[in-house]
Amino acid sequence: MTTLPQIDQDQEVRTSQEEHHEDFRMFGLATFLIADGMTFAGFFAAYLTYKAVNPLLPDAVYELELPLPTLNTILLLVSSATFHKAGTALKIDDSKNCRKWLLITALLGLAFLISQMVEYFTLPFGLTDNLYASTFYALTGFHGLHVTLGALMISIIWWQTRSPGGRVNSHNQFPLEATELYWHFVDGIWVILFIILYLL
Amino acid sequence: MTISLDNSKEGETKSLQPKGWLRYFSFSLDHKVIGLQYLVCGFIFYLIGGLLASAIRIELTSPLSDFLPRDVYNQVLTLHGTIMIFLWIVPVVNGAFGNYLIPFYVGARDMAFPRLNAVAFWLIPPSGLLLISSYFITGAAQSGWTAYPPLSITTPAAGQMIWILSVLLLGGSSIFGGINFIATILKLRRPGLKLMQLPMYCWAMLGTSILIVLSTPVLAGTLVLLSFDIVAHTGFFNPSLGGNVVVYQHLFWFYSHPAVYIMVLPAFGLVSEILPVHCRKPLFGYTTMVYSIMAIVVLGFVVWAHHMFTSGTPPWMRLFFTIATSFIAVPTGIKFFNWVATLWGGRISLNSAVLFSCGFIVNFVLGGITGVALAQVPFDVHVHDTYFVVAHFHYIVYGGSVFVIFSSIYHWYPKVTGRMLNEDLGRFHFALTFIGFNLCFAPQHWLGLNGMPRRVAEYDPQFTFVNQLSSVGALIMAISILPFLWNIIQSTFRGPVSGNNPWNALTPEWLTSSPPPIENWIGPPPLVKEPYGYGRNNKDSNEITTDT
Ligand code: HEM
Ligand SMILES: [Cu+2]
């Protein structure tokens, strides 16, 4: 076997690569969330353009109340904090506290969804009433879908952190960390959505 | 943070997978198998898209719509565009070559997420079949590959909805692929291998994947809104319900201008791999190549409205997008001159791979020049939506990307099969393709400049002769596929054995056996610090042997 000057076959490096492998699943997830965020960015851009160039038609009804969405914002922000607490508890294998905080987080998510539903049913306009109504439902609906998915994932993690028998513990934190990142992302999107849709 | 890989488990899954040709029909996790799945699947769709193109060109040999009824013409046109873009060029220049080559180039044994990789591939055949089946079941979409509303809202809904669904699935596949490439290139690099030592195709794929990840989701969101307009009768893009069609165009082109680079940047990368090997010279201007790829990525996001100069776009916006678009010519020009400089004074072997690469350079420059012309508003308002635009983008997507795909097949065929292709047939294939292509599309510049609109089955009789000329070119292109197919089929069984490294190349994929073993290298992956170190020490052709 002739050795080329450019090629240096480094045994030590090789073994270290083959046995240990940086965990890049979080990196992959973060990339995915950037992509997901771009979907929202597209929706926001469309909404802002409508606001700039498409006035509400004269007979159209489109008015939003603030109290319920403000409550929703608080619910989600608190749930981000409680999720973080669950993550910290998992690191020290405190399964009991971890599960408690997870449960609280999931319930907060559920409360958000219920309150969102209440808002939907009390609003004086429906999906196809006018452009702004459609945009409102599309944006909040797409976000709500994310929350639903997140709440489901939290429930699964809650089940998996049971001790003994659960798969998620301080040696296998990835499922919880991934869901946590996702949850923070969904909360962040909500804050932007709240500002753009309700406050602007 | 480091975790240890559960090697035994991976090994088990792999050995459970079918061996031999059957594995190409399985949910294989091997990046090389997945790469070939992409290639063959893409090529089948290319043949279908080519049949549709032939139908279009037959129709256009006469000014009346006598071969296809008008609505069928529109369906054929829509399917042709959608298939060629989403099922042939994008999956092949990214998925096929990317999956086959990138793990070699970064010194890895597979992609970062093998399972996601297989999922990304297996989304493609069903969505392609879904798209094509719509023609037989409900009638395919009729609003072109751009699906502009209000046309896409008023044409038959079923076909349009199936179109949206399959494009959404293909977009998902593309995003999964992009995430995988970014992670593989940035995170899975062999220790000791620096970013600036990577072969150029890695940079092209990194840039492309960034484009994919940032732009494809916007298309997905837009198409979801469009489908609401179609089935739920919302009015996002429907002016009669207070909506705005121009918003659709902005969102669509925010994806689709980057999409043209998703089709051509990987081709840039592939050419940069092929030329140095066959000229025995280092790639000229490596660093400027890297920076121009990244410049194209950034600029690619701020030029989209050059597709909308006649959509009531305000003057300041037209000005901005004209200037930004013209700027893209700078990094593109740098790459062009770098390829020419790579060829300059090299010991060029004029084989089929090089011929197709040189064909690419010639065609791409012509397409680039018409592109810069189109970026100028005073010119564009006259030729927008005419055959001039059709000529422009076919010079780039066919003359550019498809030529590079063929070049790459000639270059990497021995790698994949361990056999050589027949060079005479290859050169004949090139001659037919090059002549047919230019005969088909060069006259379309004239048609456009003289006012023939695109996307119509009927036209003014004064254009008859030039259209027939173009159709003859298309016929030659169709015939050119035959020597290629024959070459591939007979070489698979009877081609001369190529040895491991028939081109004496230095990039890592050649530093193993041909075809490569399952995990790419028996023994450790080589550390290639100078992938283009040709002609450095008189003796640039080292025989690499791999003990098997
Ligand atoms: C030098 C770089 C380029 C410039 C300045 C440029 C400019 C333009 C402009 C201004 C248009 C709009 C024409 C019109 O509709 O009136 C256009 C259309 C188009 N370009 Fe380019 N282009 C360039 C490179 C490319 C590349 C690299 C590709 C593909 C790989 C490409 C593919 C297309 C396609 C597909 C269309 C037509 C889209 C449609 O309406 O269906 N272009 N180009
Ligand atoms: Cu463009």
Side-chain angles (χ1 to χ4, degrees), chain B residues 253 256-257 260 303-304 306-307:
Chain B
W253 289 112
S256 288
H257 180 80
V260 306
V303 298
W304 76 87
H306 64 217
H307 295 273

Side-chain angles (χ1 to χ4, degrees), chain B residues 174 308 486 539:
Chain B
S174 181
M308 303 166 54
W486 173 243
K539 184 171 165 273

Side-chain angles (χ1 to χ4, degrees), chain A residues 2 4 6 18 21 50 54, chain B residues 109 236 242 244 527 542-543:
Chain A
T2 40
L4 289 171
Q6 316 60 351
E18 297 227 306
H21 212 305
Y50 289 144
N54 282 60
Chain B
R109 297 191 190 275
F236 297 109
N244 190 331
L527 178 59
N542 288 290
E543 190 64 33

Side-chain angles (χ1 to χ4, degrees), chain B residues 212-416:
Chain B
I212 289 178
V213 165
L214 293 180
S215 68
T216 315
V218 176
L219 176 74
T222 312
L223 292 182
V224 169
L225 294 186
L226 183 64
S227 60
F228 272 115
D229 276 6
I230 293 171
V231 286
H233 306 291
T234 53
F236 297 109
F237 307 127
N238 192 343
S240 58
L241 298 175
N244 190 331
V245 286
V246 178
V247 169
Y248 176 88
Q249 298 187 10
H250 276 295
L251 292 170
F252 179 82
W253 289 112
F254 182 82
Y255 162 75
S256 288
H257 180 80
V260 306
Y261 285 102
I262 294 170
M263 291 185 269
V264 93
L265 268 184
F268 289 176
L270 293 167
V271 167
S272 309
E273 300 307 332
I274 295 168
L275 287 180
V277 176
H278 299 280
C279 318
R280 312 312 298 169
K281 273 183 67 193
L283 181 67
F284 187 90
Y286 180 94
T287 321
T288 53
M289 281 297 216
V290 172
Y291 285 116
S292 41
I293 287 177
M294 290 306 154
I296 289 176
V297 170
V298 174
L299 284 173
F301 277 113
V302 290
V303 298
W304 76 87
H306 64 217
H307 295 273
M308 303 166 54
F309 285 146
T310 60
S311 307
T313 312
W316 66 267
M317 222 191 245
R318 287 172 154 194
L319 188 65
F320 172 82
F321 282 101
T322 287
I323 295 174
T325 307
S326 306
F327 263 122
I328 280 218
V330 176
T332 315
I334 291 177
K335 301 186 73 72
F336 165 75
F337 286 116
N338 281 346
W339 292 317
V340 176
T342 306
L343 286 165
W344 195 271
R347 278 192 284 131
I348 307 174
S349 1
L350 268 189
N351 52 32
S352 321
V354 173
L355 286 172
F356 270 102
S357 278
C358 293
F360 153 82
I361 298 179
V362 171
N363 298 331
F364 181 73
V365 142
L366 292 171
I369 290 173
T370 53
V372 177
L374 285 170
Q376 316 307 316
V377 177
F379 178 70
D380 182 74
V381 292
H382 296 289
V383 294
H384 173 67
D385 262 346
T386 69
Y387 262 82
F388 193 86
V389 176
V390 177
H392 156 67
F393 70 73
H394 280 92
Y395 262 83
I396 286 175
V397 290
Y398 197 104
S401 306
V402 178
F403 269 61
V404 172
I405 293 174
F406 282 126
S407 178
S408 308
I409 293 176
Y410 284 106
H411 180 73
W412 278 290
Y413 184 86
K415 174 81 254 164
V416 174

